[in-house]
Amino acid sequence: MKLILLGLIALTTVITSSLNHNDNLQTDPLKESIKRGQELYTDFCVTCHLPNGEGLKGTYPPLANSDYLRDNREASIKGIKYGQKGKIVVNGTTYNSYMARLGLSDDEVADVMNYITNSWGNKNETMVTEEEVANIKK
Protein backbone atom coordinates (compact mmCIF):
# COMPACT_ATOMS: atom_id res chain seq x y z
CA MET A 1 0.00 0.00 0.00
CA LYS A 2 2.81 2.43 0.87
CA LEU A 3 4.50 1.64 -2.45
CA ILE A 4 1.34 2.48 -4.39
CA LEU A 5 0.90 5.70 -2.42
CA LEU A 6 4.52 6.74 -3.05
CA GLY A 7 4.11 5.95 -6.73
CA LEU A 8 0.99 8.13 -6.95
CA ILE A 9 2.74 10.99 -5.18
CA ALA A 10 5.70 10.72 -7.54
CA LEU A 11 3.41 10.62 -10.58
CA THR A 12 1.47 13.65 -9.34
CA THR A 13 4.71 15.57 -8.82
CA VAL A 14 5.90 14.79 -12.36
CA ILE A 15 2.56 15.78 -13.91
CA THR A 16 2.36 19.02 -11.90
CA SER A 17 5.94 19.92 -12.79
CA SER A 18 5.22 19.26 -16.47
CA LEU A 19 2.09 21.40 -16.42
CA ASN A 20 3.91 24.27 -14.71
CA HIS A 21 6.70 24.04 -17.31
CA ASN A 22 4.16 24.27 -20.15
CA ASP A 23 2.47 27.26 -18.47
CA ASN A 24 5.83 29.03 -18.31
CA LEU A 25 6.36 28.42 -22.02
CA GLN A 26 2.94 29.84 -22.85
CA THR A 27 3.46 32.97 -20.77
CA ASP A 28 7.01 33.80 -21.84
CA PRO A 29 6.73 37.53 -22.69
CA LEU A 30 9.29 37.41 -25.51
CA LYS A 31 7.67 34.40 -27.17
CA GLU A 32 4.23 35.99 -26.91
CA SER A 33 5.58 39.25 -28.39
CA ILE A 34 7.23 37.36 -31.25
CA LYS A 35 3.95 35.59 -32.00
CA ARG A 36 2.05 38.90 -32.14
CA GLY A 37 4.87 40.44 -34.17
CA GLN A 38 4.65 37.67 -36.75
CA GLU A 39 0.97 38.48 -37.32
CA LEU A 40 1.76 42.18 -37.70
CA TYR A 41 4.65 41.42 -40.05
CA THR A 42 2.29 39.42 -42.24
CA ASP A 43 -0.18 42.32 -42.32
CA PHE A 44 2.23 45.24 -42.78
CA CYS A 45 5.71 44.17 -43.87
CA VAL A 46 5.60 41.03 -45.97
CA THR A 47 4.78 42.82 -49.24
CA CYS A 48 8.19 44.51 -49.39
CA HIS A 49 10.40 42.39 -47.15
CA LEU A 50 8.84 39.08 -48.29
CA PRO A 51 7.83 36.05 -46.19
CA ASN A 52 11.44 34.96 -45.72
CA GLY A 53 12.69 38.43 -44.76
CA GLU A 54 15.05 38.60 -47.75
CA GLY A 55 13.62 41.82 -49.22
CA LEU A 56 14.40 42.77 -52.80
CA LYS A 57 18.09 43.48 -53.39
CA GLY A 58 18.70 47.12 -54.21
CA THR A 59 15.09 48.12 -53.45
CA TYR A 60 13.87 46.73 -50.13
CA PRO A 61 16.56 45.79 -47.60
CA PRO A 62 16.73 42.31 -46.17
CA LEU A 63 15.73 41.66 -42.60
CA ALA A 64 17.14 38.13 -42.70
CA ASN A 65 20.65 37.90 -41.23
CA SER A 66 20.65 41.70 -41.15
CA ASP A 67 23.71 43.48 -39.81
CA TYR A 68 21.67 46.68 -39.81
CA LEU A 69 19.08 45.26 -37.40
CA ARG A 70 21.83 43.84 -35.21
CA ASP A 71 23.93 47.02 -35.08
CA ASN A 72 21.28 49.76 -35.27
CA ARG A 73 18.58 48.89 -32.77
CA GLU A 74 17.34 52.44 -32.14
CA ALA A 75 17.40 53.40 -35.83
CA SER A 76 15.51 50.20 -36.69
CA ILE A 77 12.83 50.95 -34.11
CA LYS A 78 12.61 54.54 -35.33
CA GLY A 79 12.20 53.35 -38.94
CA ILE A 80 9.27 51.12 -38.03
CA LYS A 81 7.71 53.73 -35.75
CA TYR A 82 8.04 56.80 -37.99
CA GLY A 83 8.91 55.45 -41.42
CA GLN A 84 12.29 55.77 -43.06
CA LYS A 85 13.90 57.55 -45.99
CA GLY A 86 17.46 58.07 -47.07
CA LYS A 87 20.47 55.86 -47.50
CA ILE A 88 21.19 52.89 -45.27
CA VAL A 89 23.67 50.07 -45.77
CA VAL A 90 22.48 46.55 -45.05
CA ASN A 91 24.84 43.60 -45.41
CA GLY A 92 27.14 45.67 -47.62
CA THR A 93 24.44 46.90 -50.02
CA THR A 94 23.25 50.51 -50.07
CA TYR A 95 19.50 51.12 -50.07
CA ASN A 96 17.89 54.48 -50.69
CA SER A 97 14.21 53.66 -50.49
CA TYR A 98 11.25 55.13 -48.70
CA MET A 99 9.28 53.24 -46.08
CA ALA A 100 6.05 54.94 -45.09
CA ARG A 101 4.98 55.27 -41.48
CA LEU A 102 2.87 52.20 -40.75
CA GLY A 103 0.73 53.72 -38.01
CA LEU A 104 1.61 51.04 -35.47
CA SER A 105 1.28 51.66 -31.74
CA ASP A 106 4.39 51.45 -29.55
CA ASP A 107 3.52 47.94 -28.36
CA GLU A 108 3.00 46.80 -31.96
CA VAL A 109 6.37 48.27 -33.01
CA ALA A 110 7.99 46.36 -30.13
CA ASP A 111 6.27 43.14 -31.22
CA VAL A 112 7.40 43.52 -34.85
CA MET A 113 10.95 44.27 -33.71
CA ASN A 114 10.96 41.20 -31.47
CA TYR A 115 9.73 39.07 -34.35
CA ILE A 116 12.18 40.30 -37.00
CA THR A 117 15.18 40.37 -34.65
CA ASN A 118 14.52 36.74 -33.72
CA SER A 119 13.76 35.34 -37.18
CA TRP A 120 15.68 34.29 -40.29
CA GLY A 121 19.07 33.95 -38.64
CA ASN A 122 18.71 37.00 -36.39
CA LYS A 123 19.01 36.51 -32.63
CA ASN A 124 18.16 39.17 -30.06
CA GLU A 125 17.91 38.08 -26.46
CA THR A 126 17.19 41.60 -25.19
CA MET A 127 13.47 42.08 -25.64
CA VAL A 128 12.28 45.33 -27.21
CA THR A 129 9.64 46.79 -24.90
CA GLU A 130 6.78 49.20 -25.41
CA GLU A 131 8.54 51.61 -23.04
CA GLU A 132 11.74 51.50 -25.09
CA VAL A 133 9.78 52.29 -28.24
CA ALA A 134 7.88 55.10 -26.49
CA ASN A 135 11.18 56.74 -25.51
CA ILE A 136 12.38 56.95 -29.13
CA LYS A 137 11.54 60.33 -30.57
CA LYS A 138 11.45 61.43 -34.16
Side-chain angles (χ1 to χ4, degrees), residues 91-105:
N91 298 342
T93 300
T94 300
Y95 294 86
N96 192 10
S97 300
Y98 173 76
M99 184 173 92
R101 183 178 187 277
L102 301 174
L104 299 175
S105 63

Side-chain angles (χ1 to χ4, degrees), residues 2-112:
K2 285 184 180 181
L3 190 57
I4 293 172
L5 185 57
L6 287 174
L8 287 174
I9 291 171
L11 182 60
T12 302
T13 302
V14 169
I15 290 171
T16 303
S17 174
S18 176
L19 290 175
N20 288 339
H21 177 69
N22 288 338
D23 287 346
N24 289 340
L25 290 177
Q26 293 173 351
T27 59
D28 179 303
L30 179 57
K31 287 182 181 178
E32 289 298 315
S33 178
I34 290 169
K35 182 178 177 183
R36 291 188 305 267
Q38 182 177 19
E39 293 173 17
L40 290 162
Y41 181 86
T42 300
D43 289 343
F44 291 92
C45 313
V46 75
T47 302
C48 298
H49 296 287
L50 306 180
N52 57 10
E54 290 183 3
L56 184 60
K57 190 163 179 116
T59 305
Y60 303 116
L63 303 174
N65 294 305
S66 172
D67 62 351
Y68 187 85
L69 282 175
R70 182 186 67 238
D71 300 336
N72 299 282
R73 180 178 173 113
E74 185 173 331
S76 297
I77 293 169
K78 188 181 281 190
I80 294 171
K81 184 173 180 174
Y82 297 111
Q84 186 161 344
K85 63 181 178 177
K87 291 183 183 181
I88 62 171
V89 178
V90 182
N91 298 342
T93 300
T94 300
Y95 294 86
N96 192 10
S97 300
Y98 173 76
M99 184 173 92
R101 183 178 187 277
L102 301 174
L104 299 175
S105 63
D106 290 345
D107 63 320
E108 290 173 325
V109 171
D111 290 341
V112 170

